[in-house]
Amino acid sequence: MLLSFQSILPLFLMIALGYLAKRTVFDVKMLPGLNQFVYYLAVPALLFNAASKAPIDNLINAPALAAFFIGVILTAMVVLVVSRTLFNARHAEQRVLRALNGTFSNYAYMGIPLTFAIFGEEAYVATVSIILVGNVFLIGGAQIFIEAIRQKEIGLKPILSILDRSLLRNPIFLSTMLGLFVSANQIPMPDAIDTLLIMLSPAAVPVALFCLGASLQFAKTSIDLAELGWMVFVKLCLHPALTLSAFLLLDINDPIWMATTVLLTALPTGALAHVVALKYDVFEKETSQIVVVSTVVSLLSVTLWMSGLQ
């Protein structure tokens, strides 16, 4: 456990440095620019490099992805039942956002830095796959559910609009798909472009974690403390536990895929869940608090998961 803690601690210290800098010397007006650099340049460069060098045949690991989806579905079902029975969440839209909070992880700003730093190149393929399916099916799926609830039904046009906003304008998705295209067709990269990507990629991990820390805001919200604790427990403990159980029940003997997938599901709630909450004005302040508290608590929980997985 000590070894796991020592390997993860520098990453969380970078998050703490971002928060401390915001409180002291860092001008918060610079944060949007840094976030844009990470989101549109550094992380896409890192993912493009990872995808372009990964054999495309290895990207689709059907048993591992099945275990991931089983973990998501079981976790969402538990959240829906408990939210309705214990926390009186009567509105269907609020239950959808609660399910999203319990299943969607901070893949880009924490998942990529953690898996790439801890597991190295062996985790590239699994990380890329989980990020793709997580963004497509969880973020896109949550929006489709809410649209269907509001419109009583949903047609092709709203679905295409959601996919357009979630995927076709998403630099993380586009850079990954472009990298896979390059890999599949074995397209050689010009030396200048390759050098540029090599320069950009290392910035993704420290700058993403710094921005994550600088964006943390601790404020009281209307969410009940019992429910806040429950949602944090679901995201950091129940979700990865159910995912690990799915791997074991399906008898998937791929340690890298299992460790990477479980670690990604053990991460705190991702900021994109808050973006969805803001867009539909549902469970917005509560989602913000879940993101912050789960991020702080994840220092301990991720260390424990890493210790168990190793």
Side-chain angles (χ1 to χ4, degrees), residues 61-67 246-255 257-258:
N61 186 327
L65 292 177
F247 269 89
L248 297 176
L249 288 173
L250 294 177
D251 195 25
I252 301 172
N253 297 315
D254 192 326
W257 267 88
M258 183 172 72

Side-chain angles (χ1 to χ4, degrees), residues 143-144 147 154-169 279-280:
Q143 294 181 74
I144 290 172
E147 294 282 358
I154 190 162
L156 181 61
K157 187 176 180 180
I159 292 176
L160 292 177
S161 177
I162 290 169
L163 293 177
D164 175 42
R165 293 192 302 269
S166 301
L167 302 179
L168 300 183
R169 303 183 192 185
K279 173 180 170 58
Y280 293 101

